[in-house]
Amino acid sequence: MNISNFSLDHAIGLNPMHENFLQADWPAPHNVKTLITTRNGGISAPPYHSLNLGNHVGDQPEHVLRNREIVQNEVPHPIVYLNQTHSNRVVTAAQHIGRTTDADASTDHTGTVACAVMTADCLPVLFCDRAGTTVAAAHAGWRGLANGILQNTLSAMDVPKIEIMAYLGPAIAPDAFEVGKDVFDAFTSTLPEAEQAFQNIGNGKYLADIYMLATLTLRNEGVHMIYGGKHCTVLERETFFSYRRDGQTGRMASMIWLEK
C-alpha cells in the first residue's frame, strides 16, 4: 500500500468515526471516548485547508472559530484547548473551561470536559485508567518528551501507573524525523536505552523514532498498556497536517473525555 495515498478506511490503529474524524482503537473502558481530527471537513483556505483548529498559525480567526464549532458539535463536553509551549506543565482541564492556559497536557476525572492537544507532527498521547475514572491528553514534542511531560501527566492522573493505558496518536514517523545530536543527547543522557530509537545517518544527524521514545519513557514509568503509534503525519498528506512537510499549515486535535 502506498502510504502517501493512505485512506481513512485503512488507517492503522484508528477507527473512522465518519468521513473526517477518527477515534483511538484501544481496549479502553466504554465510558472513555476519543476523537482525533484530520485535516478534512472544515472551511479554512490553503495552506490551512481545511479543518485547521490552531488559532496561532496565521489562519483567519473566523475560520478557526467555525472549525472549532464543527468539532465541538461532535463532543458532548466543552473542549479545553491549551496554549502549548513544549513545556512539561499539566493542568486540570475542568479549571480552565473557556480560557486558554499555557500548558502541554491536561487531565480530567469529573466527566464534564474534554482534554485536547493540537499537533502537526508532534506526538499526541491520550491516557485513561482501566476503571474509567480519569483521562488525560498530552502534547509530546521532542522537547516536552525529553523534559518529562509524560511523567508529569501520569503523576497528575493520580492513579496507579500499572492501571494506566496510553494511546499514541498520529505523529511524524522515523523515516521523516531527522534530528541533530542535541536531540540524541537530550534523551540518552537520562534514558540510555533511548539510543535504540535513533538511527545514525552521519554528519551529526539521526532519524528519531518518537513513538519508540514515548514507549520507552512510559515503560520506564511502569505503563505497559500502550497502543497506536502506526502513522506518519508527513507522508499521509491527504489525511494529516504536517509542519515539517509544509511549513505554514494547520493543526489537528486529539481529545479524550469521560462519558457520564
Side-chain angles (χ1 to χ4, degrees):
M1 181 184 298
N2 184 346
I3 197 167
S4 64
N5 294 319
F6 214 94
S7 72
L8 296 184
D9 291 337
H10 293 94
I12 300 173
L14 289 168
N15 286 328
M17 292 179 66
H18 54 64
E19 184 178 3
N20 301 313
F21 300 114
L22 308 170
Q23 58 187 358
D25 184 12
W26 60 340
H30 291 306
N31 68 315
V32 174
K33 306 299 180 182
T34 63
L35 183 146
I36 298 169
T37 69
T38 67
R39 70 177 302 156
N40 304 308
I43 67 166
S44 292
Y48 311 105
H49 53 301
S50 61
L51 191 63
N52 166 47
L53 301 175
N55 58 12
H56 61 291
V57 297
D59 196 2
Q60 296 185 40
E62 61 270 24
H63 288 174
V64 177
L65 179 61
R66 177 56 187 146
N67 288 339
R68 290 190 177 191
E69 290 174 348
I70 290 170
V71 177
Q72 184 65 75
N73 286 337
E74 302 292 326
V75 180
H77 305 317
I79 302 168
V80 172
Y81 295 100
L82 306 171
N83 181 37
Q84 299 167 189
T85 61
H86 297 274
S87 70
N88 59 11
R89 183 171 185 244
V90 185
V91 297
T92 301
Q95 297 177 0
H96 298 273
I97 296 174
R99 57 194 177 101
T100 304
T101 302
D102 290 352
D104 282 83
S106 66
T107 65
D108 181 63
H109 67 274
T110 67
T112 62
V113 66
C115 301
V117 291
M118 288 187 291
T119 59
D121 285 334
C122 291
L123 175 65
V125 185
L126 303 178
F127 297 94
C128 71
D129 66 320
R130 287 197 291 189
T133 67
T134 185
V135 294
H139 163 243
W142 76 260
R143 291 178 180 84
L145 188 55
N147 289 327
I149 186 62
L150 297 188
Q151 294 92 322
N152 289 358
T153 304
L154 294 172
S155 295
M157 291 178 70
D158 197 27
V159 294
K161 293 175 183 177
I162 193 67
E163 295 294 318
I164 294 176
M165 58 181 66
Y167 182 83
L168 310 183
I172 187 170
D175 289 347
F177 193 23
E178 182 179 314
V179 301
K181 194 171 186 303
D182 58 329
V183 179
F184 176 86
D185 291 341
F187 285 97
T188 57
S189 62
T190 57
L191 189 67
E193 58 266 40
E195 184 174 353
Q196 64 188 292
F198 293 89
Q199 178 185 344
N200 191 334
I201 56 175
N203 296 319
K205 299 294 184 181
Y206 300 81
L207 293 177
D209 187 339
I210 200 166
Y211 290 129
M212 184 182 293
L213 290 169
T215 298
L216 291 170
T217 299
L218 291 169
R219 288 178 177 167
N220 194 53
E221 291 296 308
V223 176
H224 298 285
M225 295 181 286
I226 305 170
Y227 307 90
K230 302 293 185 181
H231 284 277
C232 182
T233 47
V234 175
L235 296 180
E236 296 172 53
R237 63 177 61 246
E238 300 302 318
T239 304
F240 302 117
F241 292 117
S242 168
Y243 178 80
R244 181 161 290 217
R245 181 188 66 226
D246 299 326
Q248 193 172 15
T249 191
R251 298 293 186 272
M252 292 92 60
S254 298
M255 58 198 73
I256 188 166
W257 65 93
L258 292 168
E259 186 178 74
K260 287 188 176 180

